[in-house]
Amino acid sequence: MPPKSDSVEGIVLGFVNEQNRPLNSQNVADALQKFNLKKTAVQKALDALADSGQISFKEYGKQKIYIARQDQFDIPNGEELEEMKKANAKLQEELADQKKAISEVESEVRGLQSNLTLAEIKSKETKLQSEIQEMEEKLNKLRSGVILVKPEDKKIIEDSFAERVNQWRKRKRMFKELWDNITENSPKDQKEFKEELGLEYDEDVGVNLQSYTDMLASLNKRRKISR
């Protein structure tokens, strides 16, 4: 008697039949994490299904490989396979035509979006005129010798910037060492593991430590020259 679909065995059986490919217990446990199933429960369910003949399995040393029973599937004959191949080839051609049509439409949309309306042009012109005026006012102040930032305030800002860049570098190194230790013997794909944990690298949020390190090096160089 087949297990209930919402039981552990039912969920595992459904997954094995759906995949219809060789699987070990770790593969199944990883895929069914969304059901909050532990690996021990998955292993127990796989063994029970194998013992009852609802799935097949083979042993390779200490490793057990499970697969759906093939006698439950309708296997097409040679003529049916040939028809399926022809249908697939036709679908692939239609898909290629659709992709080409979509690409052409997207290209046309991008071209239209790149053209500003008269109202947008006037708005942009007004904004640019305002920015130019602000820049000219700042330039006039600089030409007249007005100090826009006090030396002591500048030093506080630069010191704060240097401290934060150094902390960033230190913490990035600490994280890398910790991450390498955690993932060294892990069977999981590092990218998938990172996504599961909700981790984001600097590059994921559009920042780069090297650019700030270069800025800090340039700042230190200017300080040495000014001394």
Side-chain angles (χ1 to χ4, degrees):
M1 181 177 178
K4 293 182 178 179
S5 60
D6 59 351
S7 67
V8 177
E9 288 186 17
I11 293 171
V12 172
L13 177 61
F15 176 75
V16 173
N17 285 338
E18 179 185 294
Q19 294 297 306
N20 193 23
R21 62 183 176 85
L23 300 162
N24 60 32
S25 58
Q26 187 64 55
N27 299 146
V28 181
D30 288 343
L32 299 181
Q33 283 185 353
K34 59 184 177 181
F35 294 101
N36 295 320
L37 299 181
K38 303 293 183 183
K39 184 180 177 181
T40 51
V42 171
Q43 182 67 68
K44 184 177 178 181
L46 286 168
D47 291 337
L49 291 168
D51 291 341
S52 63
Q54 296 182 72
I55 61 174
S56 303
F57 79 97
K58 288 186 178 181
E59 292 189 61
Y60 297 92
K62 295 182 179 180
Q63 179 89 331
K64 282 186 178 181
I65 301 298
Y66 304 89
I67 192 170
R69 286 186 53 162
Q70 299 303 297
D71 56 5
Q72 65 180 311
F73 300 113
D74 293 329
I75 301 175
N77 56 36
E79 185 177 341
E80 291 172 331
L81 281 174
E82 190 61 32
E83 288 297 323
M84 290 170 68
K85 287 180 181 178
K86 290 179 180 178
N88 180 59
K90 185 178 179 181
L91 288 172
Q92 290 296 330
E93 289 179 6
E94 292 177 358
L95 178 60
D97 291 340
Q98 289 293 328
K99 285 183 175 179
K100 183 180 179 181
I102 290 171
S103 178
E104 290 174 352
V105 171
E106 288 178 341
S107 177
E108 185 176 349
V109 169
R110 283 194 297 269
L112 292 172
Q113 289 176 337
S114 64
N115 297 326
L116 298 176
T117 64
L118 181 60
E120 288 173 334
I121 291 172
K122 289 182 176 179
S123 175
K124 192 167 185 178
E125 181 185 12
T126 302
K127 183 180 178 182
L128 289 172
Q129 289 290 350
S130 176
E131 291 176 356
I132 290 171
Q133 186 176 350
E134 289 179 8
M135 291 179 182
E136 286 179 344
E137 289 175 358
K138 289 181 180 179
L139 182 59
N140 289 333
K141 287 182 180 180
L142 291 171
R143 283 172 175 168
S144 65
V146 176
I147 299 175
L148 300 180
V149 180
K150 295 179 181 179
E152 54 269 27
D153 292 339
K154 181 180 178 183
K155 184 176 185 305
I156 291 172
I157 294 170
E158 290 177 345
D159 289 344
S160 177
F161 173 73
E163 173 64 20
R164 280 163 173 73
V165 171
N166 289 330
Q167 285 293 329
W168 184 359
R169 186 189 298 113
K170 179 180 178 182
R171 293 183 184 185
K172 187 179 181 74
R173 184 176 63 253
M174 290 170 61
F175 170 79
K176 185 178 185 306
E177 291 174 355
L178 180 62
W179 180 255
D180 288 345
N181 288 333
I182 292 173
T183 59
E184 182 178 5
N185 297 314
S186 174
K188 286 190 174 184
D189 178 78
Q190 289 195 22
K191 184 178 179 182
E192 292 179 358
F193 190 27
K194 184 191 78 170
E195 291 176 354
E196 287 178 15
L197 296 176
L199 297 177
E200 290 182 328
Y201 291 167
D202 296 341
E203 296 75 13
D204 296 332
V205 293
V207 294
N208 188 324
L209 174 60
Q210 186 58 48
S211 63
Y212 288 89
T213 301
D214 293 342
M215 289 171 61
L216 180 58
S218 178
L219 172 62
N220 291 332
K221 185 177 180 180
R222 288 201 307 272
R223 282 182 167 182
K224 289 180 181 178
I225 295 173
S226 62
R227 287 175 182 173

